[in-house]
Amino acid sequence: MAISVLDLFKIGIGPSSSHTVGPMRAAHDFVHELAERAPLAAVRRVEVRLYGSLSATGIGHGTDRAVVLGLMGERPDRIDPDRAVAAVDAVRASGLLQLAGQVALPFDWDADLRLLPVSLPYHPNALRLAAHGADGLLHENTYYSVGGGFVVDERTARAGVPQGEEVELPLPFDTAAQLLAVCRREGLRISEVMLRNEGAWRSEADTRAALAQIWQAMQDCVQRGMVQQGVLPGGLAVRRRAAAMHRSLREREAGEGNLIARTLGALDWVNLFALAVNEENAAGGRVVTAPTNGAAGIIPAVLHYFTRFEPGASAGQAADFLLTAGAIGTLFKKNASISGAEVGCQGEVGSACAMAAAGLAEVMGATPEQVENAAEIGLEHNLGLTCDPVGGLVQVPCIERNAMASVKAINAAQLALRGDGAHAISLDQAIRTMRDTGRDMLDKYKETSRGGLAVSFIEC
């Protein structure tokens, strides 16, 4: 299984990579499959069935709206988030859905889109789509949104085909131990190994251009998040804080003259960067899965920290940061999970914290062994983290959780840089522990909003 850095970092919209981006991609793919089997004009009705976690928290995560947009031919990387709300509201109001933007179909939101509180075999995030013509079923398929915007269909899931393309990499690795061995054998840094492997898909120039686009999208998200105000949608009355925090920091920054104030101020900025991204995500704005939407603020916050506060930092180092973070992300994807519905928030925030710690260590001059240590520290102190969004919304505790993990990632890199890379627990062992912990975790703590803070909030 070969996973590209651009598989892990995808431009999409909020609030969830597994509940919004993945289902929209699945619905978009379904329409294209349908068009290959029958004229779209022959379709009389489409049905949507959401299962498991998509049923439990799908409304709060916008899964219903995402699927409808996908059926209308929209893609998460191209859709205008500001237009999406109006487009879905028009379907609700008119009872008509423009299939692939071409054919108007009657669509009863309650009858044609159903939430079924049962889980399908392969993954907790499942949806089944069906298209009917005048004489019966035209096409049906089941899809699994397996985290980070990755989607597999029923045939692929049953065949047990690994996620990711079957591409031959020049420097393959499946574990952190193998990655370190490659680095030692080839005399390369982790970012250089990943860049070599990206050559299996595209030229180095194209990879760097794509990563520059990803970094720009992250910066745009932070900038937009720092000026937007008001209350986030969903009914919890959570107010955006980033804009007011940004104003306060700018006013305070000029008067800070001592080292302690500057250090604490840097942490304030890290918190701001993370909050800005995840408030945008919660509002359904444009974000980058990193590696998921629920944890989308951590890598941008830490990379912003590096470019703003590290002496001598350059914009060109963003590619090395992302390549290294991507290398660590592939280990989570191959050996455990990045899906909160599968292993809890340790798979989202925990993996993002490890990826950010590794990326920061790399651009600060760490050895491969120190980078691996930074990632392990970042993950180790997120093990057991549950996914318990209040009201099924990616707001509480998700927004603040990104800020906390961003600071933790910076500290993990600092700790690793103060050592020589030797440590008792390896990253591979920590990833296996995360996988096993996720398997043991009760379903009510895995993105169903049936336990943890989600229940405590309601009881209070």
Side-chain angles (χ1 to χ4, degrees):
M1 173 177 62
I3 299 174
S4 166
V5 66
L6 299 184
D7 291 328
L8 291 166
F9 298 120
K10 296 187 286 289
I11 299 174
I13 62 171
S16 171
S17 52
S18 60
H19 285 57
T20 312
V21 176
M24 190 185 299
R25 289 184 62 195
H28 178 273
D29 292 348
F30 174 79
V31 172
H32 277 264
E33 295 168 9
L34 173 62
E36 293 175 353
R37 290 165 171 77
L40 293 182
V43 181
R44 296 292 180 268
R45 177 172 172 248
V46 293
E47 288 182 294
V48 179
R49 300 292 182 263
L50 304 180
Y51 298 90
S53 180
L54 295 187
S55 169
T57 59
I59 301 302
H61 286 60
T63 307
D64 52 345
R65 304 170 73 88
V67 173
V68 167
L69 288 167
L71 292 173
M72 294 168 66
E74 298 286 2
R75 289 177 42 173
D77 57 334
R78 297 181 180 178
I79 190 171
D80 178 356
D82 295 327
R83 195 187 68 81
V85 175
V88 174
D89 287 345
V91 175
R92 280 186 179 273
S94 67
L96 292 174
L97 184 152
Q98 295 289 333
L99 188 66
Q102 303 172 23
V103 179
L105 297 177
F107 190 79
D108 185 321
W109 202 278
D110 295 323
D112 295 330
L113 195 158
R114 296 181 58 193
L115 309 178
L116 303 175
V118 294
S119 293
L120 299 189
Y122 181 69
H123 194 277
N125 295 332
L127 64 156
R128 182 170 292 151
L129 304 173
H132 301 271
D135 298 321
L137 183 68
L138 295 173
H139 179 50
E140 182 179 58
N141 204 350
T142 300
Y143 303 87
Y144 298 91
S145 181
V146 295
F150 287 82
V151 174
V152 295
D153 66 5
E154 184 75 10
R155 180 189 62 80
T156 303
R158 286 184 176 179
V161 177
Q163 302 155 27
E165 294 185 62
E166 292 302 319
V167 174
E168 186 174 346
L169 301 180
L171 300 173
F173 61 89
D174 291 320
T175 66
Q178 292 174 4
L179 174 58
L180 292 177
V182 170
C183 290
R184 287 191 290 266
R185 185 185 73 236
E186 302 293 329
L188 297 173
R189 304 171 69 213
I190 289 178
S191 59
E192 293 171 329
V193 171
M194 197 66 177
L195 184 60
R196 290 267 191 98
N197 285 341
E198 292 300 307
W201 288 280
R202 69 196 79 81
S203 69
E204 179 177 335
D206 287 344
T207 294
R208 291 192 178 278
L211 291 173
Q213 184 181 21
I214 292 295
W215 173 223
Q216 187 60 56
M218 289 178 173
Q219 294 177 85
D220 291 344
C221 183
V222 168
Q223 291 300 317
R224 180 174 171 84
M226 290 194 299
V227 298
Q228 298 298 311
Q229 303 182 67
V231 176
L232 293 171
L236 291 182
V238 175
R239 298 193 64 83
R240 287 181 179 255
R241 290 178 286 174
M245 184 183 293
H246 186 217
R247 289 192 300 269
S248 174
L249 288 180
R250 291 185 65 182
E251 292 169 359
R252 193 184 74 184
E253 196 174 50
E256 293 178 342
N258 62 74
L259 177 61
I260 294 177
R262 288 200 304 273
T263 302
L264 294 177
L267 295 183
D268 282 336
W269 280 96
V270 172
N271 287 330
L272 168 63
F273 298 143
L275 293 179
V277 171
N278 285 88
E279 286 176 357
E280 273 298 286
N281 179 62
R286 173 76 65 214
V287 298
V288 176
T289 61
T292 67
N293 282 29
I298 298 166
I299 288 173
V302 176
L303 188 46
H304 272 82
Y305 163 82
F306 172 73
T307 58
R308 181 181 176 92
F309 293 103
E310 185 64 26
S314 67
Q317 291 175 285
D320 291 342
F321 185 110
L322 294 174
L323 285 165
T324 304
I328 300 304
T330 65
L331 301 179
F332 284 92
K333 189 66 181 167
K334 291 178 180 181
N335 300 303
S337 174
I338 57 172
S339 169
E342 194 169 14
V343 296
C345 200
Q346 59 174 353
E348 297 198 33
V349 163
S351 63
C353 183
M355 291 166 67
L360 181 59
E362 175 84 358
V363 294
M364 292 182 69
T367 65
E369 289 77 13
Q370 288 173 318
V371 170
E372 184 264 355
N373 189 14
E376 187 277 328
I377 296 170
L379 173 60
E380 181 180 333
H381 300 288
N382 283 288
L383 290 174
L385 194 60
T386 60
C387 184
D388 49 358
V390 174
L393 300 167
V394 191
Q395 297 179 18
V396 180
C398 317
I399 296 173
E400 286 183 353
R401 187 169 283 173
N402 274 253
M404 297 299 293
S406 299
V407 174
K408 191 179 294 186
I410 295 169
N411 199 30
Q414 295 283 11
L415 285 171
L417 284 163
R418 297 297 176 267
D420 60 4
H423 52 111
I425 300 295
S426 71
L427 176 59
D428 290 328
Q429 290 171 319
I431 290 175
R432 286 195 296 271
T433 300
M434 188 197 80
R435 179 197 64 196
D436 295 342
T437 302
R439 288 175 178 171
D440 293 339
M441 191 180 291
L442 296 176
D443 285 344
K444 69 180 183 178
Y445 298 119
K446 294 192 284 190
E447 209 166 3
T448 61
S449 289
R450 295 199 299 264
L453 289 176
V455 176
S456 298
F457 179 87
I458 295 171
E459 290 177 347
C460 292

PDB file of all heavy atoms in Angstrom, residues 231-232 234-239 395:
ATOM      1  N   VAL A 231     -21.664  33.461  16.225  1.00  0.00           N
ATOM      2  CA  VAL A 231     -21.950  32.187  16.878  1.00  0.00           C
ATOM      3  C   VAL A 231     -21.866  31.064  15.850  1.00  0.00           C
ATOM      4  O   VAL A 231     -22.379  31.189  14.737  1.00  0.00           O
ATOM      5  CB  VAL A 231     -23.345  32.211  17.529  1.00  0.00           C
ATOM      6  CG1 VAL A 231     -23.698  30.851  18.130  1.00  0.00           C
ATOM      7  CG2 VAL A 231     -23.409  33.293  18.606  1.00  0.00           C
ATOM      8  N   LEU A 232     -21.223  29.975  16.221  1.00  0.00           N
ATOM      9  CA  LEU A 232     -21.112  28.837  15.320  1.00  0.00           C
ATOM     10  C   LEU A 232     -22.455  28.138  15.169  1.00  0.00           C
ATOM     11  O   LEU A 232     -23.261  28.105  16.106  1.00  0.00           O
ATOM     12  CB  LEU A 232     -20.067  27.852  15.859  1.00  0.00           C
ATOM     13  CG  LEU A 232     -18.628  28.358  15.863  1.00  0.00           C
ATOM     14  CD1 LEU A 232     -17.726  27.385  16.615  1.00  0.00           C
ATOM     15  CD2 LEU A 232     -18.119  28.570  14.445  1.00  0.00           C
ATOM     16  N   GLY A 234     -25.373  25.178  14.838  1.00  0.00           N
ATOM     17  CA  GLY A 234     -25.576  23.883  15.472  1.00  0.00           C
ATOM     18  C   GLY A 234     -26.408  23.889  16.733  1.00  0.00           C
ATOM     19  O   GLY A 234     -26.889  22.845  17.157  1.00  0.00           O
ATOM     20  N   GLY A 235     -26.576  25.050  17.373  1.00  0.00           N
ATOM     21  CA  GLY A 235     -27.454  25.106  18.529  1.00  0.00           C
ATOM     22  C   GLY A 235     -26.777  25.143  19.878  1.00  0.00           C
ATOM     23  O   GLY A 235     -27.451  25.316  20.904  1.00  0.00           O
ATOM     24  N   LEU A 236     -25.443  24.985  19.933  1.00  0.00           N
ATOM     25  CA  LEU A 236     -24.755  25.047  21.223  1.00  0.00           C
ATOM     26  C   LEU A 236     -24.425  26.473  21.647  1.00  0.00           C
ATOM     27  O   LEU A 236     -23.973  26.699  22.767  1.00  0.00           O
ATOM     28  CB  LEU A 236     -23.451  24.239  21.176  1.00  0.00           C
ATOM     29  CG  LEU A 236     -23.569  22.721  21.080  1.00  0.00           C
ATOM     30  CD1 LEU A 236     -22.186  22.087  21.104  1.00  0.00           C
ATOM     31  CD2 LEU A 236     -24.430  22.159  22.197  1.00  0.00           C
ATOM     32  N   ALA A 237     -24.623  27.421  20.749  1.00  0.00           N
ATOM     33  CA  ALA A 237     -24.336  28.841  21.009  1.00  0.00           C
ATOM     34  C   ALA A 237     -22.861  29.067  21.340  1.00  0.00           C
ATOM     35  O   ALA A 237     -22.527  29.902  22.192  1.00  0.00           O
ATOM     36  CB  ALA A 237     -25.231  29.380  22.128  1.00  0.00           C
ATOM     37  N   VAL A 238     -21.972  28.316  20.688  1.00  0.00           N
ATOM     38  CA  VAL A 238     -20.537  28.501  20.876  1.00  0.00           C
ATOM     39  C   VAL A 238     -20.093  29.716  20.063  1.00  0.00           C
ATOM     40  O   VAL A 238     -20.269  29.761  18.848  1.00  0.00           O
ATOM     41  CB  VAL A 238     -19.753  27.257  20.412  1.00  0.00           C
ATOM     42  CG1 VAL A 238     -18.250  27.505  20.485  1.00  0.00           C
ATOM     43  CG2 VAL A 238     -20.136  26.055  21.266  1.00  0.00           C
ATOM     44  N   ARG A 239     -19.523  30.683  20.741  1.00  0.00           N
ATOM     45  CA  ARG A 239     -19.091  31.910  20.082  1.00  0.00           C
ATOM     46  C   ARG A 239     -17.657  31.758  19.560  1.00  0.00           C
ATOM     47  O   ARG A 239     -16.811  31.142  20.182  1.00  0.00           O
ATOM     48  CB  ARG A 239     -19.157  33.099  21.041  1.00  0.00           C
ATOM     49  CG  ARG A 239     -20.551  33.414  21.561  1.00  0.00           C
ATOM     50  CD  ARG A 239     -20.587  34.785  22.233  1.00  0.00           C
ATOM     51  NE  ARG A 239     -20.292  35.840  21.279  1.00  0.00           N
ATOM     52  CZ  ARG A 239     -21.193  36.376  20.457  1.00  0.00           C
ATOM     53  NH1 ARG A 239     -22.450  35.944  20.470  1.00  0.00           N
ATOM     54  NH2 ARG A 239     -20.858  37.338  19.616  1.00  0.00           N
ATOM     55  N   GLN A 395     -17.241  20.894  17.862  1.00  0.00           N
ATOM     56  CA  GLN A 395     -17.045  22.171  18.541  1.00  0.00           C
ATOM     57  C   GLN A 395     -16.505  21.983  19.946  1.00  0.00           C
ATOM     58  O   GLN A 395     -15.411  22.453  20.276  1.00  0.00           O
ATOM     59  CB  GLN A 395     -18.374  22.957  18.560  1.00  0.00           C
ATOM     60  CG  GLN A 395     -18.871  23.316  17.164  1.00  0.00           C
ATOM     61  CD  GLN A 395     -20.191  24.058  17.168  1.00  0.00           C
ATOM     62  OE1 GLN A 395     -20.622  24.608  18.182  1.00  0.00           O
ATOM     63  NE2 GLN A 395     -20.861  24.068  16.024  1.00  0.00           N
TER      64      GLN A 395
END
